[in-house]
Amino acid sequence: MIHVVDAINRHKYGDMIERSYRIRHEIFVDERKWQNLDRGNGIEQDSYDTADTVYFLAIENGRIAGGHRLFPTTRSHMLSEVFPHLAAERGIPQGPDIMEWSRFFVVKEFRGGRVNMELMAALQEYGLRNGLQAVSAVFETWWLPRFHEAGFRVQPLGLPDEVDGAMTMAGLIEIAPQALRKVRTVGGLTGPVLAPLDGRDRSTREPVQHSEGLHL
Ligand code: A1S
Ligand code: SAM
């Protein structure tokens, strides 16, 4: 199951978010070698880890197996502050119904299967429950076939460019019932992946029936 953690329910997750920063350091600094994120303290945390950040954590038997995060585009965010040139063609999408998606990871021993698919499905499920139209993201181009296979529609915001030795682009990913349906089918998921209640707002807590008959 995927747990949604934000400022409202963070106290219920003890030190899970702190632990996720350490895992992010192992994955993004040590494994991916994104050296500009290294603060030398074993914790990977940037300006987009704030009280406004919504964290998604895959928790398996009390252990973090993966995660990602969303940050409001109504604030300065990674695309607007660090990578605006990647959105030179279509501009930077901003609004209350668009969030920026980043730091997607699966811990090594959980790779190659269900955790990845659950984390992908969690994005669509959360987005549909919370009225998001889309998420923006800056990603290496090898994500495009992954998005396609999962049924996510991506609108490129500009031309790809090299970042840290990797071809990287910005895109707007649609939140849509058909994407949730497809990712569930491809991932062999039989229903909602978001963990039921954790003290957050009503929309995230209670499963609902989407207007197109989809069980969220
Ligand atoms: C990005 C921002 C997001 C918000 C979008 O047969 P393989 O091993 O070649 O199959 C692989 C590759 O096709 C591809 N892939 C994974 N990592 C790649 C890389 N660094 N460069 C090029 N292609 C890569 O995905 C296939 C499956 O990968 P996997 O690791 O066996 O399994 P899984 O469970 O799908 O996990 C994929 C991720 C990317 C989540 C996992 O490898 C991971 O956590 N990597 C480190 C963190 C990371 O790079 N995150 C993306 C940046 S945020
Ligand atoms: N969208 C990605 C993510 O999910 O975190 C980051 C963008 S790009 C694929 C990877 C590059 O962005 C790496 O060189 C990484 O060091 C850099 N990067 C990630 N977060 C950053 C930040 N807050 N400030 C500056 N560079 C950052």
Side-chain angles (χ1 to χ4, degrees):
M1 292 243 98
I2 309 300
H3 296 249
V4 176
V5 185
D6 64 11
I8 298 168
N9 68 350
R10 194 159 164 163
H11 62 284
K12 299 209 169 192
Y13 282 83
D15 65 354
M16 279 286 183
I17 297 298
E18 296 303 318
R19 271 196 257 164
S20 76
Y21 295 152
R22 291 186 184 280
I23 292 171
R24 276 171 37 181
H25 190 279
E26 288 168 13
I27 291 183
F28 292 104
V29 178
D30 298 339
E31 179 187 345
R32 292 305 322 274
K33 313 246 178 283
W34 292 0
Q35 295 300 339
N36 64 329
L37 304 183
D38 189 3
R39 293 180 180 179
N41 60 359
I43 285 172
E44 193 279 288
Q45 203 180 5
D46 69 5
S47 345
Y48 316 111
D49 291 298
T50 75
D52 293 319
T53 311
V54 180
Y55 295 97
F56 293 74
L57 293 179
I59 300 178
E60 301 273 328
N61 298 321
R63 286 188 53 206
I64 295 174
H68 53 79
R69 66 178 179 181
L70 290 175
F71 191 78
T73 59
T74 48
R75 311 224 156 194
S76 293
H77 54 291
M78 207 189 302
L79 180 57
S80 70
E81 288 192 310
V82 187
F83 299 108
H85 59 287
L86 294 179
E89 302 297 322
R90 291 207 169 88
I92 295 165
Q94 287 183 279
D97 54 2
I98 302 175
M99 294 186 84
E100 182 178 67
W101 193 28
S102 64
R103 295 297 198 275
F104 190 107
F105 68 91
V106 175
V107 170
K108 273 188 182 164
E109 65 192 270
F110 294 96
R111 287 186 190 164
R114 180 178 50 81
V115 171
N116 173 66
M117 299 314 296
E118 286 194 359
L119 285 166
M120 298 281 276
L123 174 80
Q124 294 289 339
E125 213 173 287
Y126 176 88
L128 290 168
R129 283 191 196 180
N130 289 276
L132 297 185
Q133 292 299 319
V135 294
S136 59
V138 173
F139 50 86
E140 291 152 288
T141 51
W142 52 264
W143 274 89
L144 280 175
R146 290 171 61 88
F147 290 144
H148 183 72
E149 280 154 26
F152 289 16
R153 279 180 44 173
V154 185
Q155 182 184 44
L157 296 171
L159 296 173
D161 199 3
E162 198 173 307
V163 174
D164 222 350
M167 284 313 282
T168 301
M169 60 181 283
L172 191 64
I173 299 159
E174 190 180 81
I175 298 296
Q178 57 271 28
L180 179 57
R181 261 195 210 98
K182 174 87 186 272
V183 72
R184 278 183 182 168
T185 304
V186 173
L189 307 171
T190 52
V193 295
L194 293 183
L197 187 66
D198 43 18
R200 214 186 155 272
D201 64 67
R202 192 178 156 80
S203 57
T204 308
R205 187 165 67 233
E206 292 173 6
V208 293
Q209 188 86 9
H210 189 265
S211 54
E212 292 185 26
L214 190 63
H215 187 56
L216 296 178

